[in-house]
Amino acid sequence: MKKRDPVSNHIEADFVDRDSYEPAYVQLAKLLKRKIGAGLFLPGEMLPSESELRSFYKVSQMTVRQAINILAGDGVVRSLQGKGTFVKPMNLGAFSFQLGELQKLFIDKKHASIKFLEVDLVIPAERIAKILSIPPGERAVYIRRLILKDNEPVLIHSEYLIYDPTRPLVESEMEVTSLEGLFDGSGQTDLKKGEISINAAVFNDDEAGLLKVPPQSPAFKMVHVFYDFNDKVVSWGQFLCRGDQSHFSTKVGIWE
Amino acid sequence: MKKRDPVSNHIEADFVDRDSYEPAYVQLAKLLKRKIGAGLFLPGEMLPSESELRSFYKVSQMTVRQAINILAGDGVVRSLQGKGTFVKPMNLGAFSFQLGELQKLFIDKKHASIKFLEVDLVIPAERIAKILSIPPGERAVYIRRLILKDNEPVLIHSEYLIYDPTRPLVESEMEVTSLEGLFDGSGQTDLKKGEISINAAVFNDDEAGLLKVPPQSPAFKMVHVFYDFNDKVVSWGQFLCRGDQSHFSTKVGIWE
DNA sequence: AAGTGGTCTAGACCACCTA
DNA sequence: AGGTGGTCTAGACCACTTT
């Protein structure tokens, strides 16, 4: 039996097209991914070394590394210095969900609308004052609103904002809480960072009424804190989403 | 007023230490990120051009690009060919959650244990047979088990597996469903890819009883499908997690 | 010593945008 | 035309692992 070439294996177009609009490193990454997907390199096995790849595909070291970095970023492969680059077994820990999926759901401009339920200057509970780092008894802006999709309510957003008397309320409110901007990154030039956590929850009677779902039906609760460039908290609040209308999904392993 | 140097701005150690154990591109990336975090480059503004950075920090083009690619990967910055590299406003769409967080919760080897509730050869419902791509009436392996943490039940996993008569049941069962391996990537060499979706749910009476929580309490439901290297479905099932014991959290924007 | 991944350079060329 | 990001190279050197 003929000795198997460790690099080349039957696969369509096993070369880098220098006239392609696609960069060489992208082509190479796709090529290798396709080979891995086809089972030519099984999980745990080592890929051809970078120098093998370099000479086989007639590209430079840097180009090979760029390609392999893509695969590593995809979680398909792992490189160990001095040892080699190995195909990673699929693992669930690598699953990651993008909150952006929700964006499609309720921030669609064509179908979405917002109904304010409450906009007030309030003295927040001690717990919340603590989170906002304001003295107890000091006022904050409280906003509660309903996001509708095709006139069907899907989501309640309630939020406490730092009250800045030097700025008109409407402005600070719009800036910090313009949801479209928050999600697509078009605005929000004064927020530096944020934390968010997703929890499972059920609607209470009040919330269920607003969203027109039965009480005790499932919901996602997303609690958020936003900071400005002085690392001061500017906002704390939560999104309550209908569980039946929102979910997160993703793929892992070798696709395509 | 003195003209502001567009590249250098007061910041500790604004240079690349060539004797450091840290690669130059990592140092540069951290440096720039720190400057952005300090508000020296505001969202929407343009970073110094690559050639400016190159000459200021005395590094090569490739090194600058590697640094910028890190920032771009972090979602901190966006490069537009022919225009420049710009600081991105924080946006929620960039939030991403790692399923790995759950791993800590229930796959901890020290504290976790598994109790099998059911292991059977069953004829699955038509809907499930369809997902598994097996003819109606054909048998599949059904597994249902409880994952406990410190002897407290936190999670129910139920799963249908393709029944392969050529393999002993126990083996195929252990291979596909060894949860530890699934999550940390130590095993699972025969799974190519998977899809998973996370939904909000509430426990029914049966499930609530198993997990010792009140009925109708909140839960995460994670439905999964796994494929082998022939793109055949090998498993369909779901994790049901106590909502009070599991949540996902993440950070976005400029941290550290 | 030989093989592996990892970093870095100096310079080249290209594609794109703005004037 | 001149600036910007984007790709690529050939070769150098380093750090780590295995033999």
Side-chain angles (χ1 to χ4, degrees), chain A residues 112-126:
Chain A
S113 56
I114 296 181
K115 180 178 166 189
F116 281 86
L117 303 173
E118 191 179 346
V119 181
D120 262 328
L121 268 180
V122 301
I123 297 177
E126 200 175 329

Side-chain angles (χ1 to χ4, degrees), chain A residues 49-50 61-62 65 81-82:
Chain A
S49 77
E50 298 189 355
Q61 163 97 342
M62 285 301 258
R65 300 230 75 241
Q81 184 165 120

